[in-house]
Each structure stands twice: as C-alpha cells, then as structure tokens.
Amino acid sequence: ALRTLAEYRGRGVVFNFWATWCAPCVKEMPQLDRLHKILAPDGIAVLTISEDRAGATLVEKFYRINELGNLDILIDRNGKVLRGSKVRGLPTTLLIDAKGREIGRVQGISEWDSKNVVAFLRRCLKPS
C-alpha cells in the first residue's frame, strides 16, 4: 500500500532512511524500533524507509532475524523519496514537526533510544 507523509500531519515524525547493506543503519535499527515504542504515547511517529532494491521480502526477513516488532516496513521504490529529500548518504534521519516541516536532520548514526535523545525529540516534535 502506498503511504504519504501527509498521513502523519498533526504528529511529529522521526523519518529514517536506511538499508540492510549499510552497517551503521543495521546497528541503529533496534534502537529505532525501541524509540517507536517509547515515543508512540507522545504522538510522535518513527518511520524507517528502506533503500534496498530487493524490496519488502528482504526487509521482512531482516526484521524477523533482528526481532524488530514495532516498526512498519516501508520501501522507497526507485529511491524517489531519498532523492526528493536531498539525502546524500545512509543513514540519514529527518525530524519533521506536526505541521509537516523538516526542522532538522541527522546524517550518520545516533543513539536513538538514549535518555538525552528521547528528551530532545520530545521537546522538538511533541504536538502542541
């Protein structure tokens, strides 16, 4: 099913671009999975979009092996979202406010489920 960021208007979004062949991406996926569970009660969504050309089958297997149960499987067909967002490398994470505006981006890896990062994301992205 096709999804758009407009569906998340009114909520803050942590929007992560990743791929199974990207070692730093693989390292932070369990943290992003936990972050989703931590931030859901705050009305903040965590979305991870795969840049794998092999598509959903590969990503489903990756989620199963790594026991990721909180994140939706999203695939960026032909890299359109990646290019449209002017992302230069993986992992890259966009911080999008409740009005749908990008208010920041993190290029490279982060400790997504650490106390400091969670507190920062709540301050920046929690819907008013």
Side-chain angles (χ1 to χ4, degrees):
L2 207 58
R3 308 258 300 269
T4 67
L5 265 176
E7 294 171 43
Y8 296 89
R9 188 70 44 95
R11 300 172 69 184
V13 178
V14 176
F15 192 71
N16 174 269
F17 292 88
W18 75 287
T20 59
W21 46 260
C22 160
C25 301
V26 167
K27 184 174 185 244
E28 69 180 4
M29 284 299 283
Q31 295 172 356
L32 287 159
D33 190 62
R34 287 189 293 275
L35 182 68
H36 176 77
K37 200 170 184 177
I38 293 166
L39 292 180
D42 298 295
I44 300 169
V46 176
L47 305 176
T48 54
I49 188 163
S50 168
E51 297 302 323
D52 285 282
R53 289 209 177 89
T57 311
L58 177 66
V59 176
E60 284 165 10
K61 183 180 175 187
F62 176 86
Y63 274 40
R64 205 168 42 252
I65 290 167
N66 293 282
E67 299 176 2
L68 305 177
N70 299 311
L71 298 167
D72 289 340
I73 292 175
L74 302 172
I75 309 296
D76 185 9
R77 302 234 183 270
N78 306 317
K80 285 181 183 161
V81 181
L82 184 84
R83 286 192 304 280
S85 302
K86 295 180 173 61
V87 170
R88 291 190 169 78
L90 299 179
T92 295
T93 306
L94 311 184
L95 305 179
I96 300 167
D97 71 9
K99 292 183 178 140
R101 300 175 301 204
E102 180 183 328
I103 57 166
R105 77 173 50 193
V106 178
Q107 292 183 300
I109 197 163
S110 181
E111 294 291 326
W112 289 109
D113 58 348
S114 71
K115 281 192 171 121
N116 289 345
V117 172
V118 168
F120 172 78
L121 293 171
R122 282 183 172 136
R123 273 197 312 278
C124 294
L125 299 178
K126 195 165 182 173
S128 48

